[in-house]
Structures are given as structure tokens and as C-alpha cells.
Amino acid sequence: MAMTVLTERDQLGVKPGRLYVDGSWCDSSDGGTWEQVNPATNEVVTTFAVGSAADVDRAVRAARRAFDEGPWPRMHAKDRKAILQRLVGLISDHGEELNRLQTLENGMPVAFSSMAVVSSAMAAAIFDHHAGWIDKICGETFPTYEPSPTGADVQVMTFREPLGVVAAVIPWNAPMMLFAQKVAPALATGCTVVVKPSEYAALTSLRLTELIEEADLPTGVFNLVPGPGDPTGEALITHPGVDKVTFTGSRAVGSRILAASGDGIKRVTLELGGKSPSIVFDDAASVEGAAMVAMGMVSMGVSGQGCVCQTRSLVQRSVYDAFLEAAAGLTGMVTFGDPFDPATTSGAIINRRQLERVMGFIERAPSEGARLVAGGDRPGGELAQGNFVNPTLFADVDNSMSVARDEVFGPVLVAMPFEDEDEAIRIANDTQYGLGAGVYTTNIARAFRVARAVRAGTVGINEYTLMPNAPFGGYKTSGLGREGGWGSIEAFTETKSVIVGLSG
Ligand code: NAP
Ligand code: MG
């Protein structure tokens, strides 16, 4: 089985990546470059320019000028909407190319990149959804306040105005979808943007930037500065010209962003991952189906490197063995290999550092008392050159073990039994995270009871997906704020109260 990563690179015409600042493409001011490596083969795919602090400064100044003086925030809603809809068309027209670029950058199997919630079709849907808000963003008018506590006779109303310059820092695991989730609402509300993609996945961001250029946004409205967390990301999140930082990634960087935003009282939206439970009751329509979903989330596609993966399976005792059997069975259906082969189901761990971290969790779990049911090792032969890990299932896990508490970000599912609904809710909530949860039951009242009791930003009842119109975000340390739907419009605007005297 020959890997076609470099052939695909040549067919896709990948060029060295550059910065896009103030309407032009340029190299790094200090000549810095970075090598993009595909995790399936660890081959170098291309190089791209690393944005220096000086480059970031130029990008933020351009975005600042475009916001303070340019037409974008002041543009008629109809015209701004037409530009974003042009971009939706361009993303759709280049959909397959974008999906293949995503496979090239982060090793996601092309079958997953083309079909799933992380595809260019999802990115286009998110831009389309937010374009639809543009001529509907409005404030409110309030009834007169009687009796007036100050004696003033006034009409109070609100205006909803764009926040300003947005810094968007995105990770490598769903780079297109997350680019859209941040850039679409920023542009729709009239903000200007500087994006820093992950150094492990900048190719789709570079191509989307070319499409944004083709959609003809006013100069300086959109800027792209590839580069690592330090210096590029640090220069961006600490820049005084930035009004808001929107971030998806690790909790460590999330809290750094929150701290760095303190001095300037910057607005911040954070999405920081999770250790999401799926709760499977004995009256689930299909216990095997629930097991396939949970194991599928951690073993197919990006191999568990997703913030929404339901990596803790809480299973009612009477169906626990059936669940384990079905979950273990699915691990045998995983196919690793050339990410461009449509038959490949599962991708590699993004880099060597993350691979070591994932293997560390797997090696420690049995010493904490977890029972290994499937996986636990890495595929050999030709696959050994890539960062692959076999899907791994641990049973009889106690919720206090580190494999149950920490986000592994790899193909590891832990299962634990529970006796009744109260115990399930208690274990589900015994976590520092609160991003997602799944409930599997045919009892509608129980489904809603559990959905209310679980402290998580999104709860799926017998199903789990992401939708462009649903607010998305986390409770507890899983994040701050919401993006998606009207939640995004609120997150990228300020509310101004306007008070009109009626007695003059
Ligand atoms: P990360 O370090 O938080 O990276 C996310 C983004 O932040 C990347 O663009 C990264 O740049 C950038 N960054 C890093 N340090 C920064 C800084 N000081 N200032 C500004 N930006 C900075 O996450 P990761 O290293 O890719 O993955 C590590 C862990 O994060 C995973 O194990 C997982 O737990 C979590 N994670 C969660 C999600 C999610 O969807 N919530 C996604 C990815 C990772 P570079 O990548 O270029 O360094
Ligand atoms: Mg990092």
C-alpha cells in the first residue's frame, strides 16, 4: 500500500504558504519559515512563512484601520451580505479541493473530510447561516418606564454594533469548520479579523484566504498570519489593537488568553475541549448502536482528536457487557492507511509530541486499575512511519482515574457501569469539563430529566451532531461564551443603549 501524500500535494498545486496582510501576500519580515508535515507519513508537504511580532502588528493595524475608517462596518447590510454569499459560492465551488487540502494538512481520511461536520460543505453552511443574519441584526425598543424613577420622560432603545478587531486562533483538528465558526460571525457583524491558524494545519486557511480575496472584501478587513503559538499567537493575543480574541484549543492556552486579555479588558470566547459522557440506559433503542456511536467518535475520522468526542461511556449495569462487546467489535472495523484512499476510515495523531502523550495515557491506565478490552498498541509495518494508534477500549474504569478525568485527544474510550439515573448524573457531572453529553433512552421524560441535569453546553438525545444555527460552547473549564447561531451575533457585537428625551 503506497502512500500518495506527496503525489496529492503536487496535484493540488500546493505552494509555499505566505502571510496575507492589508490586502497583499508577503513573506515573513524576519524570513522565518515552518515545515508542514503530514502525520500519516511524517513527510514534509510544504513550508509556510511564520508571522513575526512585526507582521502581527502590521496585520492588527490594517484590521484596525479597516474597522475605524473603512467601509466594512458601515456598509449597507445588503452589500455585506452579497459579499459573504459570494464567498459561500466560492467555498462550495472549491469544496472537493478544500477537503483534500484538509486531508493533506492534518491527515484526516478524505472520506471523513468530505462527508462529516468538518467538511467544506459545513464551512459553507456556517458562512451561509451567518450571511443570513446580516440584514436581521437589530436592537430592541423598550416600553416607557412608569413611573419614571428619575422623572425624565424618555424612550430607551438598543443598537447592536460590531465589536471591532477580532483575533481568531484556531487549532488543527477541524481547521475549516472552526475557521468558518469564527470568521463568519466576525465578518457578518461588521468586525475585521486577523486569523492565526495552527502551525500543524495552515493549508485550508491559506486557500480560504485566497477565496476571501476573490470574494472582494475591502482591504484590511481580513488578514492571515500563520505561525506557532509563540511568537505569532502570543503577539496577536497580547496586541492592544485587538478588541476580541476567539479561540479553540487547549485549556492551558485558553487560560493564557484569558490572563493576557485582562489588562485591556478584551472580549474573549474560548472553546477548550472536554471529557464528554455518553449515558446509555438499559431502555436505549439500541445499546449496540450507542456503543457504535461512542466508539465511532473516538476511532473513526480524526481518531478521537475532537473536542466533542464522547470519551466516557456510562452504561447501565444490565447492558454493560453488551455495550462492551459492540464497542470492541467496532475497533476491528477501523482501517488505517493512505489518507487519500477512500477506504481509509481513521487518521493519525497530529504530531509526535501528541502521539507520546496519547501512548502515555494508554500505558498508565492499567496501573490505575482499568481493564484493557481492545487496542492499546500501534499498527506496525508500513503504518509505523505514521503516528497511528489502534482504537483502545478500557472497561471497569473508575471516574477518579486520570484516563477518565483528562482529555486524551486520541482513540481511547473508557467505559464504566452505573446502577440508576441518579448515579449516572452524578458521574457525568463529576468532571472539570462540560462541553457535550449524550443520552440514550426511549423514555422521553428520563431523556429530558437527564438533559436538564447534566452540566454541559450541548446534550444530544439519541443523536449528536453540530448545527450552524445552534449555539456551541462549554460549561465549567470547557470554555467561555457561545458561538453558532444568534449566540455568535451576540458574541461579536456590543449593545448600546440609546436614550431619547421625549419632552424637548
Ligand atoms: P493548543 O496549543 O491550544 O493550540 C490551539 C491554537 O492555539 C493553535 O493555533 C496554537 O498554535 C495556538 N497557540 C498555542 N500557544 C499559544 C499562545 N501562547 N498564544 C496564542 N496562541 C497559541 O492545542 P494543541 O497543541 O494543538 O493541542 C493540545 C491539546 O489541546 C490537545 O491535547 C487537546 O486537549 C486540546 N485541543 C482541543 C481542541 C478543541 O477542539 N477544543 C482542539 C485542539 C486541541 P500552534 O498549533 O501553531 O502551536
Ligand atoms: Mg500547542
Side-chain angles (χ1 to χ4, degrees):
M1 175 204 54
M3 299 271 192
T4 60
V5 167
L6 297 185
T7 318
E8 279 288 335
R9 177 219 29 209
D10 297 342
Q11 276 170 8
L12 287 163
V14 171
K15 300 184 292 284
R18 305 179 80 195
L19 316 170
Y20 186 71
V21 177
D22 206 11
S24 359
W25 292 93
C26 53
D27 292 318
S28 170
S29 61
D30 63 9
T33 57
W34 162 266
E35 289 182 336
Q36 162 88 48
V37 171
N38 183 289
T41 59
N42 283 310
E43 289 167 306
V44 176
V45 169
T46 188
T47 58
F48 57 83
V50 168
S52 66
D55 296 321
V56 168
D57 182 55
R58 267 200 325 118
V60 174
R61 283 173 193 278
R64 189 79 261 163
R65 250 189 332 271
F67 186 79
D68 291 341
E69 299 158 27
W72 189 246
R74 297 156 192 90
M75 193 177 274
H76 195 288
K78 172 173 78 53
D79 299 329
R80 198 154 74 219
K81 187 170 176 178
I83 293 177
L84 279 204
Q85 278 173 340
R86 201 149 63 222
L87 179 59
V88 172
L90 286 164
I91 295 173
S92 305
D93 291 348
H94 296 86
E96 198 190 332
E97 177 196 353
L98 285 162
N99 293 338
R100 297 186 89 80
L101 280 170
Q102 184 165 246
T103 296
L104 191 60
E105 62 187 347
N106 70 7
M108 177 187 292
V110 75
F112 188 75
S113 187
S114 316
M115 281 169 46
V117 291
V118 295
S119 68
S120 58
M122 183 64 164
I126 292 171
F127 271 103
D128 186 49
H129 172 78
H130 288 92
W133 277 116
I134 294 176
D135 55 8
K136 299 166 194 74
I137 298 170
C138 58
E140 294 171 287
T141 54
F142 298 94
T144 43
Y145 200 99
E146 293 283 359
S148 166
T150 61
D153 182 15
V154 294
Q155 169 69 56
V156 177
M157 64 187 86
T158 56
F159 293 175
R160 201 166 263 286
E161 300 181 341
L163 248 172
V165 175
V166 172
V169 179
I170 53 184
W172 45 266
N173 58 341
M176 274 196 288
M177 186 270 275
L178 290 168
F179 182 102
Q181 187 84 335
K182 297 181 182 318
V183 175
L187 294 180
T189 50
C191 295
T192 60
V193 192
V194 181
V195 170
K196 191 207 85 69
S198 168
E199 66 199 294
Y200 302 103
L203 295 178
T204 47
S205 288
L206 286 159
R207 189 69 185 107
L208 286 165
T209 302
E210 289 175 352
L211 299 179
I212 285 176
E213 188 178 32
E214 219 176 309
D216 219 9
L217 270 76
T219 304
V221 170
F222 180 88
N223 305 272
L224 184 83
V225 281
D230 198 9
T232 318
E234 270 293 319
L236 185 56
I237 62 165
T238 53
H239 198 293
V242 168
D243 296 304
K244 173 183 172 110
V245 182
T246 170
F247 170 78
T248 297
S250 64
R251 210 169 71 191
V253 176
S255 51
R256 164 76 195 124
I257 288 174
L258 204 51
S261 303
D263 277 350
I265 320 289
K266 288 191 178 80
R267 280 66 180 139
V268 175
T269 307
L270 304 173
E271 199 273 275
L272 308 176
K275 192 76 194 177
S276 298
S278 69
I279 307 173
V280 184
F281 288 96
D282 59 6
D283 59 4
S286 167
V287 170
E288 290 73 20
M292 304 280 267
V293 173
M295 197 63 203
M297 275 194 199
V298 304
S299 63
M300 302 291 176
V302 285
S303 286
Q305 300 171 96
C307 54
V308 295
C309 294
Q310 291 168 6
T311 51
R312 275 191 308 147
S313 288
L314 319 185
V315 188
Q316 200 151 21
R317 175 87 60 189
S318 57
V319 294
Y320 183 60
D321 288 340
F323 179 95
L324 291 178
E325 196 182 323
L330 188 71
T331 64
M333 292 179 216
V334 161
T335 308
F336 292 119
D338 183 348
F340 288 99
D341 181 342
T344 299
T345 64
S346 307
I349 303 299
I350 189 70
N351 56 40
R352 294 283 189 190
R353 180 174 49 87
Q354 287 292 114
L355 175 66
E356 279 165 28
R357 191 170 168 273
V358 170
M359 292 313 290
F361 274 107
I362 291 175
E363 278 147 26
R364 278 192 306 276
S367 65
E368 290 187 277
R371 173 163 67 90
L372 181 69
V373 178
D377 54 356
R378 302 189 48 218
E382 194 191 5
L383 292 172
Q385 71 190 331
N387 306 333
F388 297 100
V389 176
N390 284 321
T392 300
L393 174 64
F394 284 110
D396 308 345
V397 167
D398 186 277
N399 203 47
S400 62
M401 297 174 186
S402 67
V403 76
R405 303 204 77 77
D406 298 331
E407 187 178 43
V408 175
F409 236 57
V412 179
L413 182 68
V414 300
M416 56 196 94
F418 69 82
E419 301 301 333
D420 59 20
E421 191 178 314
D422 284 348
E423 190 188 11
I425 291 167
R426 188 184 55 70
I427 301 172
N429 283 337
D430 177 20
T431 169
Q432 57 200 333
Y433 289 109
L435 191 62
V439 186
Y440 293 86
T441 176
T442 46
N443 178 333
I444 186 90
R446 166 183 276 166
F448 277 94
R449 273 198 309 272
V450 175
R452 285 168 65 143
V454 173
R455 294 184 53 76
T458 305
V459 181
I461 298 174
N462 300 326
E463 174 78 64
Y464 193 90
T465 190
L466 304 175
M467 295 303 264
N469 60 351
F472 183 81
Y475 281 43
K476 300 195 251 181
T477 63
S478 283
L480 189 66
R482 296 292 179 271
E483 284 174 353
W486 178 249
S488 291
I489 304 304
E490 288 181 334
F492 288 85
T493 51
E494 291 277 16
T495 300
K496 177 182 283 172
S497 288
V498 176
I499 299 161
V500 190
L502 298 175
S503 40

